[in-house]
């Protein structure tokens, strides 16, 4: 996540930058900062937390670079990925005479940093971003050509990024590059004005023409205009801020579904090596004397946790169980110190999960929270925090929180197996290779979205839904059912497929819709038999599978992969979009369903 803005023009630069950052605050608010360059002076302001703190600092110091000609500036609001949320780690980052803001992750930053330190550059932050500005100055010190130095710099960067860079060595220019993370550039309404932003929300009202940069496009903006490394196409800017904050998607939920493929890259960043997995936050000695893992969570986080119980036992060979936090609290649980207590929460504020965590802590257990929000109540209580790095999730129906939790927990299961010497190097390597394919599995295919949209017509009138699956596809079935019921208000239940004949199958008739999760690589024949039994009793079957299934009334074809966890994420996308499209047809509020709140801070 993170958001960046930039401005060239004669208006009040600090005000435009700060207002722009406010529009991007939903992308992260660990810290914010701006740098303004005029003639050979650069003023920099940084503040921790929300943009309002930055705004106060800027107005308090009354930004001394007053506008009597062109000035240029860049700004950033941060969702911490590398390095804690501190002022030192806040953007813009400084070299000796240049500043950079960056959204994304520089994957090869460690090797670049080593190389630059060797060359005499001094680093002050723990971020990956700082290498960009030093690399630029490294080249500039050699060739004295800012344009060439910027080109040489971006050629060395690996990962996903959008960058704005200003330098005293070229006082009227902003250098930019987009690769993987979003960037829009607009021509302002006043003569010579150019604006940059991570989404078009900050541009609305200030500009009418915009270009949404494609990956690989770089260029230079100056008071005399814009040059791009390739041909770009301009479009007219929308007038709606709400629309813009959603990056053009209809709902935050839809935007967040589409974002999953990118955010899981952040979840894995710096944690995956070729043959090992490590979390900076996790000291391996935490597992000393641990013979059992107990997980507690609510809602979607519970489903991610349930998924992980299969993975922890399979890969780390540690006994693992999960409980719904509101049940756990009142059952007088037996807690022993050889149990590692793990809570999972998007918000870090869910009252029941927080209380369960406190109970475990008070009983002297070692505790971990897997959480999306740093500095939340749970991160302050737990011994160890492992952040999922999904970025702010606005839709009440969790989507990217779930996929990032599932990825992080799967990595933890593998890492624990390695620490305990319970997993072979071959298996570990193979799983790491599969993890790297998750972003692709989470990419939304147009054909899949279209299919869900078309099918949504058929699944509006019935007396309910069964979502069924086996193994990790059982928690996924629970999650599919929860997604559907919370936004469409239709009755849906998730079941382990093998459990149907122990009662639920009595409900089967043509008005009972079965959504069958039929992965190729996990118990395919078993689930096939369960679905056949339902079909024989006339339930309407929608099969989700990479393999064709004759008895299905409807079929959503997922891509063929060679691992069940890739099928898991492919199917997750289908379930999320299917629920959303049914909800659209029913005319419900997708982002703010009735009776629900994003964060349940009461028990
Ligand atoms: O913030 P948490 O992950 O602790 O929240 C737990 C549940 O309230 C949450 O997952 C809820 O079930 C969502 N609405 C599901 O989409």
């Amino acid at each position: 996540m993170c958001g960046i803005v930039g401005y060239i023009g004669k208006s009040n630069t600090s005000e435009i930058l700060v207002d722009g950052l406010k529009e991007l605050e939903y992308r992260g608010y660990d810290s914010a900062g701006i740098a303004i360059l005029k003639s050979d002076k650069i003023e920099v302001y940084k503040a921790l937390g929300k943009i309002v703190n930055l705004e106060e600092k800027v107005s308090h110091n009354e930004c001394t670079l007053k506008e009597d000609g062109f000035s240029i500036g860049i700004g950033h609001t941060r969702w911490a990925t590398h390095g804690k949320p501190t002022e030192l780690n806040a953007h813009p980052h400084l070299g000796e005479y240049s500043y950079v803001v960056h959204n994304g992750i520089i994957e090869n930053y460690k090797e670049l940093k080593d190389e630059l330190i060797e060359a005499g550059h001094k680093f002050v932050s723990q971020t990956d971003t700082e290498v960009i500005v030093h690399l630029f100055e490294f080249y500039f010190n050699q060739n004295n050509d800012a344009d060439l130095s910027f080109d040489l710099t971006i050629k060395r960067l690996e990962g996903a990024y959008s960058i704005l860079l200003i330098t005293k060595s070229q006082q009227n220019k902003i250098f930019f590059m987009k690769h993987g993370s979003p960037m829009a550039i607009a021509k302002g309404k006043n003569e010579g004005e150019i604006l940059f932003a991570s989404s078009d929300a900050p541009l609305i009202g200030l500009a009418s023409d915009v270009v949404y940069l494609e990956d690989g496009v770089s260029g230079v903006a100056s008071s005399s205009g814009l040059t791009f490394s390739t041909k770009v196409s301009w479009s007219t800017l929308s007038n709606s801020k709400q629309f813009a904050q959603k990056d053009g998607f209809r709902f935050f939920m839809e935007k967040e579904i589409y974002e999953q493929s990118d955010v899981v890259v952040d979840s894995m960043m710096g944690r995956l090596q070729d043959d090992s997995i490590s979390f900076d936050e996790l000291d391996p000695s935490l597992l000393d004397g641990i013979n059992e893992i107990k997980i507690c969570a609510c809602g979607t986080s519970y489903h991610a946790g349930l998924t992980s119980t299969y993975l922890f036992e399979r890969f780390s060979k540690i006994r693992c169980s999960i409980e719904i936090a509101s049940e756990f609290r009142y059952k007088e649980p037996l807690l022993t110190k050889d149990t590692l207590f793990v809570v999972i929460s998007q918000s870090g504020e869910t009252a029941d999960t927080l209380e369960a965590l406190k109970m475990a802590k008070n009983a002297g257990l070692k505790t971990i929270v897997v959480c999306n929000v740093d500095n939340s109540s749970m991160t302050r209580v737990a011994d160890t925090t492992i952040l999922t790095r999904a970025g702010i999730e606005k839709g009440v129906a969790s989507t990217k929180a779930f996929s990032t939790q599932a990825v992080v927990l799967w990595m933890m299961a593998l890492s624990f197996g390695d620490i305990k010497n319970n997993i072979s190097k071959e298996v570990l390597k193979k799983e790491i290779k599969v993890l790297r394919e998750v972003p692709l599995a989470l990419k939304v295919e147009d054909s899949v979205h279209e299919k869900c949209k078309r099918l949504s017509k058929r699944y509006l009138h019935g007396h309910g839904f069964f979502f069924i699956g086996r193994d990790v596809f059982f928690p996924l079935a629970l999650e599919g059912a929860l997604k559907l019921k919370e936004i469409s208000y239709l009755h849906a239940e998730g079941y382990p497929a093998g459990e149907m004949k122990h009662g639920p199958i009595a409900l089967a008739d043509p008005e009972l819709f079965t959504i069958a999760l039929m992965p190729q690589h996990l118990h395919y024949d078993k689930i096939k038999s369960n679905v056949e039994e339902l079909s024989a009793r006339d339930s309407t079957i929608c099969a989700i599978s990479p393999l064709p299934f004759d008895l299905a009334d409807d079929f959503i074809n997922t891509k063929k992969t060679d691992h069940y966890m890739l099928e898991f994420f492919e199917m997750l996308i289908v379930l999320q979009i299917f629920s959303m499209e049914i909800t659209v047809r029913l005319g419900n509020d997708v982002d703010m369903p009735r009776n629900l709140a994003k964060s349940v801070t009461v028990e």
Side-chain angles (χ1 to χ4, degrees):
M1 289 296 274
C2 302
I4 61 179
V5 289
Y7 176 75
I8 297 184
K10 290 184 180 171
S11 300
N12 187 332
T13 307
S14 55
E15 206 173 286
I16 288 182
L17 293 176
V18 170
D19 286 350
L21 291 176
K22 282 187 192 160
E23 296 293 340
L24 298 177
E25 194 165 35
Y26 70 97
R27 300 177 67 88
Y29 41 78
D30 286 328
S31 63
I34 58 171
I36 298 172
L37 167 62
K38 189 153 190 204
S39 307
D40 60 348
K41 282 197 213 125
I42 296 188
E43 266 184 26
V44 180
Y45 298 92
K46 295 183 182 188
L48 281 182
K50 300 213 164 178
I51 311 294
V52 58
N53 302 341
L54 175 69
E55 190 175 27
E56 247 172 56
K57 266 199 181 173
V58 172
S59 63
H60 186 68
N61 290 292
E62 289 198 336
C63 218
T64 49
L65 298 178
K66 283 299 171 205
E67 289 73 16
D68 53 350
F70 272 91
S71 68
I72 74 174
I74 54 177
H76 187 273
T77 183
R78 179 167 187 248
W79 178 274
T81 54
H82 291 69
K84 289 196 175 307
T86 59
E87 266 193 39
L88 216 52
N89 287 333
H91 299 219
H93 284 286
L94 167 72
E96 266 183 62
Y97 45 84
S98 318
Y99 277 91
V100 71
V101 290
H102 160 225
N103 170 27
I105 289 179
I106 306 299
E107 285 174 21
N108 60 335
Y109 86 101
K110 279 199 179 115
E111 62 189 73
L112 292 174
K113 191 168 175 175
D114 289 348
E115 187 182 316
L116 289 159
I117 289 173
E118 182 85 26
H121 287 253
K122 297 220 165 11
F123 284 77
V124 291
S125 79
Q126 300 156 309
T127 65
D128 52 337
T129 304
E130 205 184 341
V131 295
I132 303 169
V133 70
H134 283 285
L135 200 55
F136 170 81
E137 293 187 352
F138 169 78
Y139 287 121
F140 187 81
N141 294 345
Q142 289 174 356
N143 60 34
N144 210 25
D145 179 335
D147 298 64
L148 174 63
S149 302
F150 188 71
D151 282 348
L152 291 170
T153 301
I154 56 184
K155 282 201 180 94
R156 300 285 312 277
L157 305 178
E158 287 168 21
Y161 47 86
S162 59
I163 297 167
L164 298 178
L165 184 141
I166 58 175
T167 174
K168 280 195 207 168
S169 64
Q170 196 81 117
Q171 289 158 13
N172 62 343
K173 288 183 175 174
I174 296 183
F175 295 90
F176 59 87
M177 167 71 189
K178 185 239 190 254
H179 181 72
S181 307
M183 188 189 291
I185 304 181
K187 287 181 192 151
K189 288 190 172 157
N190 302 317
E191 200 203 324
E193 262 183 345
I194 298 169
L195 297 110
F196 296 80
S198 296
S199 86
D200 46 16
L203 311 174
I204 289 169
L206 300 176
S208 49
D209 292 327
V210 65
V211 53
Y212 301 98
L213 289 189
E214 297 288 340
D215 281 347
V217 179
S218 60
V220 187
S222 72
S223 47
S224 47
L226 273 160
T227 53
F228 295 96
S229 60
T230 183
K231 203 168 157 354
V232 294
S233 49
W234 290 88
S235 44
T236 308
L237 198 56
S238 131
N239 282 326
S240 150
K241 288 219 184 223
Q242 266 287 320
F243 182 79
Q245 273 197 343
K246 292 173 193 154
D247 287 349
F249 289 101
R250 294 167 295 170
F251 318 105
F252 281 110
M253 181 186 182
E254 186 175 40
K255 171 175 170 282
E256 286 155 7
I257 292 171
Y258 273 77
E259 257 172 25
Q260 291 177 107
S261 159
D262 289 335
V263 291
V264 290
V265 174
D266 293 355
S267 309
M268 291 189 265
M269 197 61 65
R271 293 167 169 175
L272 279 191
Q273 292 80 45
D274 284 345
D275 54 3
S276 66
I277 295 176
S278 56
F279 294 86
D280 285 348
E281 311 90 325
L282 194 131
D283 182 347
S285 69
L286 193 83
L287 294 186
D288 290 352
I290 294 297
N291 294 316
E292 189 172 343
I293 299 169
K294 168 74 80 186
I295 304 178
C296 248
C298 300
T300 287
S301 298
Y302 172 82
H303 298 151
L306 185 58
T307 307
S308 76
T309 57
Y310 293 83
L311 304 174
F312 275 114
E313 296 209 342
R314 189 163 294 155
F315 295 122
S316 49
K317 307 282 179 231
I318 305 175
R319 216 172 18 251
C320 181
S321 60
I322 182 161
E323 302 209 31
I324 288 180
S326 54
E327 286 299 307
F328 175 83
R329 286 178 64 185
Y330 298 104
K331 65 183 282 206
E332 299 176 31
L334 296 177
L335 297 172
T336 52
K337 290 192 180 151
D338 63 347
T339 301
L340 175 66
F341 197 80
V342 179
V343 290
I344 307 166
S345 175
Q346 188 285 128
S347 60
E349 302 296 344
T350 301
D352 286 316
T353 312
L354 179 61
E355 280 313 309
L357 171 64
K358 286 181 184 163
M359 276 170 68
K361 187 98 198 264
N362 291 338
L365 272 64
K366 293 180 184 169
T367 57
I368 296 184
V369 60
V370 175
C371 191
N372 192 32
V373 182
D374 203 2
N375 290 316
S376 56
S377 303
M378 286 182 218
T379 65
R380 289 195 294 271
V381 174
D383 300 319
T384 299
T385 296
I386 298 189
L387 292 176
T388 50
R389 306 174 180 165
I392 291 175
E393 190 182 61
K394 282 206 163 183
V396 166
S398 265
T399 51
K400 60 179 181 166
F402 178 81
S403 46
T404 52
Q405 285 167 346
V407 162
V408 165
L409 289 160
W410 177 15
M411 289 195 292
M412 284 169 66
L414 294 166
S415 153
F416 285 13
D418 197 20
I419 294 168
K420 290 271 192 192
N421 274 325
N422 285 339
I423 187 170
S424 72
K425 281 287 168 205
E426 294 73 57
V427 173
L428 182 58
K429 259 183 133 164
K430 188 179 152 237
E431 293 294 311
I432 289 173
K433 203 168 148 274
V434 181
L435 270 160
R436 293 190 194 281
E437 292 172 45
V438 172
L440 195 63
L442 282 168
K443 269 235 149 40
V444 182
E445 301 283 339
D446 287 351
S447 56
V448 168
H449 198 146
E450 267 315 301
K451 184 82 191 245
C452 292
K453 204 179 258 178
R454 248 183 304 122
L455 285 185
S456 63
K457 267 187 250 170
R458 179 166 186 177
Y459 288 85
L460 299 177
H461 311 288
H463 59 74
F465 287 77
F466 280 163
F467 286 71
I468 59 168
R470 281 174 173 260
D471 201 284
V472 290
F473 294 87
F474 160 51
L476 186 61
L478 289 174
E479 176 60 9
L482 177 64
K483 272 315 67 105
L484 185 66
K485 66 185 138 194
E486 69 183 324
I487 56 176
S488 73
Y489 320 141
L490 297 173
H491 183 235
E493 296 300 332
Y495 270 104
E499 188 65 11
M500 300 310 292
K501 44 177 148 343
H502 298 283
I505 203 166
L507 289 171
D509 67 18
E511 305 299 303
L512 190 272
F513 303 136
T514 298
I515 311 295
L517 307 181
M518 305 178 69
Q520 179 182 7
H521 297 293
L522 207 58
H523 314 313
Y524 182 77
D525 290 336
K526 300 266 175 234
I527 176 102
K528 190 162 162 261
S529 311
N530 300 136
V531 182
E532 279 164 2
E533 287 154 12
L534 277 150
S535 170
R537 283 148 187 93
D538 277 345
S539 172
T540 300
I541 310 286
C542 177
I544 306 176
S545 180
L547 301 178
F549 179 58
D550 289 347
L551 293 178
D553 298 280
D554 290 302
F555 184 68
I556 302 178
N557 193 201
T558 49
K559 276 199 301 284
K560 280 207 173 178
T561 65
D562 52 11
H563 195 288
Y564 63 90
M565 283 306 287
L566 297 177
E567 302 189 278
F568 177 94
F569 289 108
E570 295 252 348
M571 290 184 192
L572 171 66
I573 292 283
V574 172
L575 296 175
Q576 294 169 339
I577 293 184
F578 184 68
S579 305
M580 184 183 74
E581 288 302 339
I582 288 184
T583 305
V584 172
R585 254 177 220 289
L586 292 169
N588 300 347
D589 189 330
V590 170
D591 285 331
M592 282 186 269
R594 71 183 184 201
N595 305 341
L596 298 180
K598 183 70 191 153
S599 192
V600 184
T601 52
V602 288
E603 69 167 300

